[in-house]
Amino acid sequence: MFERARWSRRVGVVAVAAALLAVASCASAPAAPPNPIAVEQVPDYYPADYQQIIEGSKAEGGELVINSGTAKENWAPIFRDFQKKYPWVESILAKESGAEGYQQLLNEIATDSVQTDLMVVSSSQGWNEFAAHEGALAEYRSPELGHLPEFAELLPNVYAMSLDPMGMVYNTALISNDLTSLGDLADYAAAHPGELDGKVVVRDGSTPFGFTVAYAWTELNPKNPDAKATFEKLLPLSRAETSSGIQIEKILAGEYAAGFLISSALGYEQEERSGGLVKFVLPKDGTLLLGRGAGIIGKAPHPNTARLFLDFVLSDEGQRAVAEGGLTAYRDGIAGTQGLRSYQDLVKEAGEDSIVVVPFDMVPQAEVEQYIARFDELLPG
């Protein structure tokens, strides 16, 4: 059974700096071009019997339920265009999914009471542990796979909806230096003793996502032999939070001066909205690219609609909507399109030597526990 306790941790309550966000200027990104949607039509490389999936979806009541940590702003253009393509899907519910979401889904599967169709999360360790349970994932091979890079299939039956960079955010009113790497942040702290004590924020290493990004940056970052040393310089200055949203909110409010391993899904948007108050950086000493995995849940109540949705987000139409929502599309053909972000553009921006694509490999539990213990040991008491 999935051990819920291994990821348990007290979640603090944060007061959002609403007033600050309200007055922040909104520098608009270039508008994305219209996304032409072929209503109820699929590419000619789809199998001849795909129409059965479409007809099956029409009989499922027009509903879709997703467990996800993806923000509603990121989802908006994806849902809009999916419902344009398949207009009978009138209701899409995206439920927030934290560390407890894996166990909840397994309980539903075990008791034949599944209420969720898909899970969309960015956690290699969490996905591996969930997928290891028999019946947790429905078997489905998307017809889009032959038109995507090899890394599109993160695990059997788990596909990358997007490939998002993890970056660093800092408050320019508190740190005036131009920071380009986590090493720069560590050097700044060393040059200003005491200034950043307790003023740096990192993702909670005991959560599936927090462990995934921390472990990948320190242990799977072959282009930076100093990664672990840099990390161990920053953790004693840091406090842990449970989401990128909380990290950025507190950086905006000035509670923290900087944070690292923050998802670009929020980082880019908040940089644009803040009017220069915060800066989002792709670290030169290691920009992690983490797949936002999507998989159909075993015994899903709307399996055909789930298949349509999964194929859509992997398609050319869907990847354009993914990029419009502020996530990073990786399908060829999206690169260089005004107002959209893509893997190809990211490589140009960050530099190929900085890019680390996070593998979806299982880390042995003993190593997980040892790593988290060291992570917590280095955080201030």
Side-chain angles (χ1 to χ4, degrees), residues 44-376:
D44 57 11
Y45 53 80
Y46 277 36
D49 61 356
Y50 196 82
Q51 188 63 31
Q52 295 177 17
I53 296 178
I54 294 176
E55 295 304 320
S57 171
K58 291 179 179 179
E60 289 175 352
E63 296 182 351
L64 184 70
V65 180
I66 303 172
N67 265 23
S68 170
T70 304
K72 62 181 181 180
E73 293 83 2
N74 303 129
W75 276 129
I78 301 172
F79 292 168
R80 177 202 68 203
D81 288 351
F82 178 70
Q83 290 176 303
K84 187 184 297 183
K85 188 172 185 69
Y86 301 112
W88 62 85
V89 184
E90 296 180 349
S91 173
I92 303 178
L93 175 61
K95 302 187 294 184
E96 289 290 332
S97 177
E100 69 281 357
Y102 301 98
Q103 182 61 55
Q104 179 182 341
L105 283 171
L106 289 173
N107 289 341
E108 291 178 5
I109 292 168
T111 58
D112 290 323
S113 59
V114 179
Q115 302 175 40
T116 300
D117 298 301
L118 294 112
M119 184 160 65
V120 181
V121 293
S122 303
S123 166
S124 63
Q125 192 71 5
W127 263 122
N128 270 281
E129 295 195 11
F130 180 78
H133 289 79
E134 185 176 356
L137 284 169
E139 293 186 6
Y140 184 63
R141 186 161 185 83
S142 172
E144 292 290 352
L145 272 185
H147 297 262
L148 296 170
E150 185 177 350
F151 54 69
E153 188 173 23
L154 303 171
L155 293 170
N157 305 308
V158 179
Y159 305 95
M161 184 176 85
S162 61
L163 199 68
D164 302 309
M166 302 295 115
M168 178 174 64
V169 175
Y170 64 95
N171 187 313
T172 59
L174 299 176
I175 298 177
S176 58
N177 293 34
D178 288 332
L179 305 181
T180 64
S181 66
L182 273 63
D184 285 352
L185 180 60
D187 290 344
Y188 179 91
H192 301 79
E195 182 178 321
L196 295 187
D197 289 358
K199 298 285 286 182
V200 179
V201 61
V202 66
R203 285 296 285 268
D204 188 336
S206 70
T207 63
F209 180 89
F211 171 80
T212 292
V213 293
Y215 184 89
W217 204 84
T218 60
E219 311 300 318
L220 306 175
N221 191 355
K223 298 172 184 177
N224 180 9
D226 299 324
K228 184 178 290 187
T230 298
F231 210 80
E232 295 200 348
K233 290 176 184 176
L234 291 174
L235 281 182
L237 310 172
S238 303
R239 300 191 183 280
E241 300 287 358
T242 56
S243 76
S244 291
I246 293 175
Q247 286 177 290
I248 292 178
E249 286 164 5
K250 291 191 174 185
I251 293 170
L252 272 166
E255 182 172 341
Y256 297 121
F260 53 99
L261 300 181
I262 294 176
S263 173
S264 64
L266 293 175
Y268 284 126
E269 177 193 4
Q270 291 303 330
E271 180 182 48
E272 292 168 359
R273 293 179 60 190
S274 74
L277 180 59
V278 298
K279 188 170 182 179
F280 179 73
V281 176
L282 301 178
K284 298 298 183 184
D285 49 359
T287 294
L288 300 181
L289 298 189
L290 182 59
R292 189 176 297 264
I296 301 172
I297 302 303
K299 304 180 183 178
H302 313 104
N304 289 295
T305 305
R307 294 182 186 109
L308 292 184
F309 186 83
L310 182 58
D311 293 336
F312 174 76
V313 296
L314 300 178
S315 71
D316 184 84
E317 294 170 333
Q319 285 283 286
R320 290 179 184 276
V322 163
E324 186 180 342
L327 305 178
T328 304
Y330 61 88
R331 187 183 176 110
D332 287 344
I334 311 299
T337 305
Q338 185 182 27
L340 303 182
R341 293 190 175 91
S342 73
Y343 168 76
Q344 294 84 356
D345 297 328
L346 181 68
V347 171
K348 293 178 184 177
E349 180 182 350
E352 192 166 358
D353 289 342
S354 301
I355 298 296
V356 179
V357 178
V358 179
F360 264 56
D361 295 334
M362 183 73 166
V363 180
Q365 183 58 25
E367 190 171 346
V368 171
E369 293 173 355
Q370 182 180 20
Y371 188 91
I372 292 175
R374 178 60 175 162
F375 185 102
D376 288 345

